[in-house]
Amino acid sequence: EVGKGRAGNEGSTVKLWIQGDKARMEAEGMRGQGYIVTKDAGETLYMVKTTEKKYMKMDLQAMMAMAQAMMQMKVGDHKIAKLADEEGPKMLDYPTRYCKFHTAYTMNVSLGGVTNAVASELEQEIWVTTKLDMPGFKAWSKLASSTGNPELDKLVKGEMDKIPGFPMKQVVVSTARGGGAAGGT
C-alpha cells in the first residue's frame, strides 16, 4: 500500500508492486478495470485496461501538454511547514521515518477566459524508508512528479524533495476553498 488520501468523504488507496526494473501500480478507482505497468524503471509506462482486454503506451508529457493547453494554472502564496520528523515504526520489516507537513497555496485556474481562485491546504503524514533500492521505484516517482505545468511541477518537486526516502504509507487530507472568480472569493 503506497498511499491513502481523502477526496471529499471518500478515501483512496494506491498499491504498487515492484521487482527490479518492473513495477505495477493500481489505484482504487482503477480496481478491476486496469493498472499501470513498466518493465524499464518507468522510462515507458503502459495503461492496461483489463475490462477491454487492451493496453496503450502512456505519453505523460503529451497528456500534460494537452491539459495545459486547455487551461492555465498559476500557483501563489505557497507555504510549507514541517510539523514532525521522527523515527517511525517498522513497516514490512523496513525501518521508517515519520514526517508530517502542512502545505498551503492558492491556485488561479483560467479556462475559457474565466479565472477562478482556489485556496488549498494539505495535511500530509508520511512514513518513509531509505532501504528500498529497486530501480522500479522510479516509475512511482515519474507518475507522482509531473503535471505538465511548470509552476505546479515546482510545487510538486518541493513536496517530493522534503520526503527523505520512499513512502511506505501516506495519509493526505486536502481542503480547498473558493472556486469563484479570482479576487471575488
Side-chain angles (χ1 to χ4, degrees), residues 10-135:
E10 306 267 333
S12 63
T13 302
V14 175
K15 293 186 177 182
L16 184 63
W17 294 269
I18 297 174
Q19 184 176 19
D21 284 357
K22 300 173 187 156
R24 174 180 165 151
M25 187 202 62
E26 197 175 284
E28 193 167 276
M30 298 166 58
R31 193 159 293 132
Q33 298 175 29
Y35 52 89
I36 297 171
V37 67
T38 183
K39 291 182 175 184
D40 57 8
E43 291 299 314
T44 310
L45 299 169
Y46 295 94
M47 165 61 80
V48 178
K49 296 183 177 187
T50 53
T51 54
E52 299 173 24
K53 297 182 181 177
K54 295 180 181 178
Y55 72 93
M56 66 179 193
K57 184 177 178 181
M58 293 178 63
D59 185 342
L60 291 178
Q61 297 297 58
M63 289 168 42
M64 297 306 169
M66 186 170 63
Q68 179 66 21
M70 292 190 316
M71 72 176 119
Q72 299 296 313
M73 297 180 286
K74 186 167 176 81
V75 178
D77 303 325
H78 181 245
K79 297 173 188 90
I80 299 175
K82 184 184 275 189
L83 306 176
D85 186 352
E86 57 198 43
E87 187 176 329
K90 276 195 165 196
M91 293 184 173
L92 302 173
D93 288 329
Y94 290 101
T96 66
R97 185 130 199 100
Y98 170 75
C99 300
K100 185 173 182 177
F101 299 94
H102 178 265
T103 303
Y105 61 94
T106 301
M107 177 73 72
N108 291 306
V109 180
S110 296
L111 181 61
V114 177
T115 300
N116 293 310
V118 179
S120 297
E121 291 187 40
L122 297 171
E123 289 286 337
Q124 296 172 282
E125 291 183 278
I126 307 166
W127 292 261
V128 297
T129 187
T130 56
K131 300 300 181 188
L132 294 170
D133 60 358
M134 287 184 265

